[in-house]
Amino acid sequence: AQSVSQHNHHVILSEAASLELGCNYSYGGTVNLFWYVQYPGQHLQLLLKYFSGDPLVKGIKGFEAEFIKSKFSFNLRKPSVQWSDTAEYFCAVILYSSASKIIFGSGTRLSIRP
Amino acid sequence: EAQVTQNPRYLITVTGKKLTVTCSQNMNHEYMSWYRQDPGLGLRQIYYSMNVEVTDKGDVPEGYKVSRKEKRNFPLILESPSPNQTSLYFCASSLLSQALGEQYFGPGTRLTVT
C-alpha cells in the first residue's frame, strides 16, 4: 500500500542549529510532493512543493527540500532554525495515477529551544 | 480575502446526537476534502469531492457523511457520533488540477464526543 513515512516524530533543536526532517514515500509512479507547516493553534499552510524540474526546491521562511527519486525521499532542510520555527511539519504526496489522492505523513513536531 | 471557513470551531456533544460541521470556501475551488488529525497519525482523509454532486471516500469514511450541493460548501455530517470520533477536523480546498496538493485549509474544528 502507498504510504508516506516521517520517521522523526519529535525533534528538539537549539536556535541556529541546522535542520533536516526526513520524508519517504512508497510509490513507484509519478508523484507531487509537499511540505506543510502547522504552527501551534493554527491550520496547515503550504511550505513548499515539488512538481517537476529542479529537484531542489525553495520555500518560504528559508526552508528548502530536495527530491531524490532513487531514494523515494523529499527531506526538508533549513540551515539555521529560529524559535519561531517551532511547529509541526507534515510531508504530503499526491499519487499521479490517482489524481485525487493525497497522502499525509504522520508529522514531525519541531521544538526549538531559545 | 481567500479563505476556507469552518463552523463551529469547538464542539462538545454526546454519543448519538447528530451533528454537522460546515465548510465553505470563496475561491471557486472544485476540490474539497475533510481530514481528521489525531496525535501520531497525522492527517487522514475522510471524504473528498471533485465537484458538485461528486463525492468519494477517503481513508477513514466510516461514521461520516458528506454532501456537495453547491460548489462552495462541503458539510461533514456525523449521524451518530461516537467517542472515537473525538478529533480535530480540517476542511480543505484546491483547484482540480496539478495544483491539487496545494490545498487551502480551514482553521479546524475540535470535536469532543462524550
Side-chain angles (χ1 to χ4, degrees):
Chain A
Q2 300 104 358
S3 65
V4 176
S5 300
Q6 292 182 244
H7 300 293
N8 310 108
H9 298 295
H10 188 193
V11 173
I12 303 173
L13 296 173
S14 298
E15 276 193 303
S18 65
L19 168 72
E20 181 159 3
L21 301 181
C23 173
N24 289 89
Y25 64 92
S26 61
Y27 180 66
T30 303
V31 294
N32 291 346
L33 301 156
F34 306 82
W35 277 97
Y36 284 85
V37 60
Q38 185 180 28
Y39 296 105
Q42 296 188 25
H43 58 280
L44 277 78
Q45 305 168 46
L46 184 68
L47 201 54
L48 50 77
K49 61 186 178 185
Y50 172 81
F51 286 170
S52 63
D54 188 345
L56 183 63
V57 292
K58 295 192 184 299
I60 59 173
K61 304 186 181 186
F63 286 91
E64 65 179 30
E66 185 174 13
F67 172 47
I68 303 179
K69 191 174 182 179
S70 60
K71 294 185 178 180
F72 300 92
S73 70
F74 189 57
N75 292 354
L76 181 71
R77 300 194 293 246
K78 185 171 184 179
S80 176
V81 294
Q82 302 170 301
W83 179 80
S84 58
D85 293 325
T86 295
E88 190 150 17
Y89 293 81
F90 293 93
C91 180
V93 177
I94 289 182
L95 311 178
Y96 220 84
S97 68
S98 175
S100 58
K101 186 163 184 69
I102 182 168
I103 302 175
F104 282 84
S106 57
T108 296
R109 185 155 66 100
L110 175 64
S111 301
I112 305 298
R113 292 189 291 247
Chain B
E1 179 191 353
Q3 60 181 351
V4 179
T5 57
Q6 294 178 228
N7 281 293
R9 295 288 312 280
Y10 302 91
L11 180 60
I12 301 173
T13 190
V14 296
T15 298
K17 186 176 181 182
K18 180 179 178 180
L19 65 92
T20 299
V21 183
T22 65
C23 173
S24 183
Q25 50 93 6
N26 62 1
M27 295 168 280
N28 203 35
H29 285 166
E30 298 93 352
Y31 183 92
M32 297 186 75
S33 181
W34 276 102
Y35 299 90
R36 59 178 289 174
Q37 183 181 14
D38 301 289
L41 298 176
L43 273 79
R44 293 179 294 168
Q45 191 176 49
I46 303 170
Y47 268 95
Y48 63 92
S49 169
M50 298 176 74
N51 217 322
V52 176
E53 303 291 2
V54 180
T55 63
D56 210 343
K57 296 177 181 179
D59 296 317
V60 288
E62 293 78 20
Y64 304 95
K65 285 175 56 178
V66 292
S67 69
R68 187 89 181 273
K69 298 191 187 318
E70 304 167 281
K71 198 172 187 179
R72 62 184 293 127
N73 297 323
F74 191 46
L76 179 70
I77 303 155
L78 284 71
E79 294 271 3
S80 183
S82 62
N84 65 12
Q85 292 179 298
T86 293
S87 187
L88 179 59
Y89 291 86
F90 287 102
C91 179
S93 73
S94 72
L95 292 170
L96 190 65
S97 65
Q98 196 181 38
L100 180 62
E102 189 170 353
Q103 296 189 49
Y104 294 80
F105 284 83
T109 295
R110 187 167 291 283
L111 172 65
T112 302
V113 183
T114 61

